[in-house]
Amino acid sequence: MDKKLDAKIKQILQENDDIVVPRNISKGIDETLKSLSNKV
Amino acid sequence: MDEIKLVRKSKKGNNLAFSTLIKIYEKDLYKVAIAMTKNEEDALDCIQEAILQSYISIKDLRQEEYFKTWLIKILINKCNALLKKNKKIMNLDMEITILQSYISIKDLRQEEYFKTWLIKILINKCNALLKKNKKIMNLDMEITEDLKIEESYKLDLKESINNLDSDLKIIVILYYYEDMSIKDISESLNIPQGTIKSRLSRARKKSINNLDSDLKIIVILYYYEDMSIKDISESLNIPQGTIKSRLSRARKKLKEILSINEEVL
């Protein structure tokens, strides 16, 4: 029962996942990755 | 290219492969970090630290298929460390507040308003700290065991208050728990009375719909990040039994919220 319910919850949550990564977070991540690339 | 290949390339020092992997999981990283830290600045700090840590340690990752779980675990550790640090700052500030109130109590004229006076000192301290750090403070510790709330509806409210935005949370705490008037809250926070009233109304509506934060992080890790109960338990340092019971509570609430009928299952 729980397994079926979990699968259904997961399906609905993931289908309706409308979280958007804010621009400043995405930019901060890009900067970190850029600094790592420049290190080597 | 599949993710395992990207992990293998990253282990060999391929920066482009590593960056591609991180961008694939950018949303997952954000979701977990924001649920734990509750503010974007701290979330970004933790994500950046987790990226650096994973970049350094990826060569030691043995099970390449578990890269995502491994990355999320690193992030959770970073968030836990930050929360611990913030709590220490908060505790220190509380001590300073108590000391300040001890020094200035001789100037208190209306003894019957001691509590309001003390809270005003605390708010000033918090405002100074916020200004200094430019960070949103986690006010969860305001709502702890010391609040003796008997009525069940208040217990529900307590749970949901933890999930409110900090601008709403502080007003709810002052109004409902500290019995401060709208005028006093307005003066203390330097916010117009009209704004206090509208935020109180917003808080009432919002508090009904929110899942409490201890459930929210488990829901994210279990349903979105596909982490096992064992992994969640290890990462959050919470016994597996507690995770199971919280998951069971979350399941019931989600079933209701998502309107899942028995027939669908």
Side-chain angles (χ1 to χ4, degrees):
Chain A
M1 167 67 184
D2 279 354
K3 275 187 182 176
K4 278 186 183 173
L5 180 58
D6 280 348
K8 193 69 199 165
I9 290 172
K10 195 178 281 189
Q11 186 201 336
I12 297 174
L13 288 179
Q14 292 185 355
E15 275 173 6
N16 297 289
D17 182 10
D18 55 359
I19 294 174
V20 178
V21 181
R23 220 176 147 189
N24 59 319
I25 301 278
S26 197
K27 207 177 151 195
I29 291 174
D30 290 344
E31 279 166 11
T32 310
L33 293 171
K34 203 176 162 190
S35 73
L36 287 175
S37 297
N38 291 339
K39 270 187 181 173
V40 183
Chain B
M1 188 185 291
D2 70 49
E3 283 152 30
I4 293 182
K5 277 185 186 167
L6 285 171
V7 175
R8 280 181 192 149
K9 283 193 168 190
S10 302
K11 284 173 81 173
K12 287 176 185 163
N14 185 322
N15 286 335
L16 183 63
F18 181 77
S19 296
T20 310
L21 267 178
I22 295 295
K23 291 305 278 182
I24 290 173
Y25 297 120
E26 183 179 77
K27 195 172 172 180
D28 301 278
L29 290 170
Y30 172 69
K31 234 182 293 182
V32 173
I34 199 73
M36 289 192 75
T37 63
K38 301 186 186 79
N39 80 80
E40 286 188 0
E41 202 177 332
D42 283 344
L44 180 58
D45 282 349
C46 294
I47 292 171
Q48 287 176 321
E49 281 188 32
I51 293 172
L52 291 176
Q53 175 76 56
S54 59
Y55 180 78
I56 294 165
S57 342
I58 195 164
K59 59 182 186 302
D60 303 321
L61 174 66
R62 288 185 187 181
Q63 291 172 289
E64 285 133 3
E65 65 274 31
Y66 293 124
F67 172 79
K68 184 182 165 188
T69 306
W70 174 79
L71 181 66
I72 297 290
K73 277 185 174 182
I74 292 176
L75 177 66
I76 292 171
N77 282 338
K78 296 292 174 193
C79 292
N80 278 335
L82 184 121
L83 291 174
K84 210 172 169 184
K85 195 176 145 199
N86 281 356
K87 208 171 178 180
K88 271 186 188 166
I89 294 171
M90 183 79 175
N91 285 343
L92 180 68
D93 206 60
M94 289 289 276
E95 283 169 23
I96 294 169
T97 305
I98 293 165
L99 188 66
Q100 192 184 346
S101 60
Y102 178 74
I103 293 165
S104 47
I105 195 162
K106 62 182 185 304
D107 303 323
L108 175 67
R109 289 183 187 178
Q110 291 170 288
E111 287 86 2
E112 65 273 31
Y113 293 122
F114 171 76
K115 191 176 166 188
T116 307
W117 171 81
L118 187 64
I119 287 167
K120 280 185 176 179
I121 292 177
L122 177 66
I123 291 170
N124 283 337
K125 274 280 146 211
C126 291
N127 278 337
L129 187 77
L130 282 173
K131 214 171 174 182
K132 195 175 153 197
N133 291 344
K134 288 183 182 168
K135 282 184 177 175
I136 299 163
M137 194 155 31
N138 184 347
L139 287 159
D140 283 353
M141 67 172 295
E142 298 286 334
I143 312 164
T144 48
E145 281 68 37
D146 61 322
L147 294 168
K148 307 277 184 216
I149 305 154
E150 288 169 16
E151 302 93 325
S152 64
Y153 83 92
K154 279 195 175 174
L155 277 171
D156 288 341
L157 186 65
K158 179 186 155 188
E159 262 190 17
S160 50
I161 284 169
N162 272 315
N163 298 314
L164 290 173
D165 298 337
S166 57
D167 63 332
L168 299 183
K169 195 191 286 184
I170 184 66
I171 292 170
V172 169
I173 290 167
L174 297 177
Y175 188 77
Y176 287 107
Y177 292 104
E178 303 308 338
D179 285 325
M180 276 175 78
S181 68
I182 288 176
K183 188 172 165 281
D184 276 338
I185 299 172
S186 161
E187 280 170 13
S188 301
L189 299 176
N190 201 18
I191 295 171
Q193 290 191 37
T195 310
I196 304 284
K197 283 178 194 168
S198 68
R199 286 191 188 170
L200 268 176
S201 152
R202 198 148 57 93
R204 280 186 206 108
K205 283 180 194 163
K206 256 191 142 179
S207 63
I208 301 162
N209 300 323
N210 285 337
L211 268 182
D212 58 19
S213 55
D214 62 339
L215 298 188
K216 198 183 281 177
I217 185 66
I218 292 171
V219 166
I220 288 172
L221 296 177
Y222 188 77
Y223 291 112
Y224 287 105
E225 307 308 334
D226 286 324
M227 278 173 76
S228 67
I229 289 174
K230 187 174 166 277
D231 278 340
I232 299 171
S233 159
E234 281 170 12
S235 301
L236 299 177
N237 202 16
I238 296 172
Q240 288 192 37
T242 311
I243 301 287
K244 280 179 192 168
S245 70
R246 286 188 190 170
L247 198 55
S248 160
R249 265 167 62 209
R251 227 177 248 128
K252 279 180 199 161
K253 287 195 177 187
L254 287 169
K255 194 179 166 193
E256 241 178 72
I257 294 167
L258 303 172
S259 311
I260 300 173
N261 299 323
E262 297 292 333
E263 298 147 21
V264 183
L265 302 171

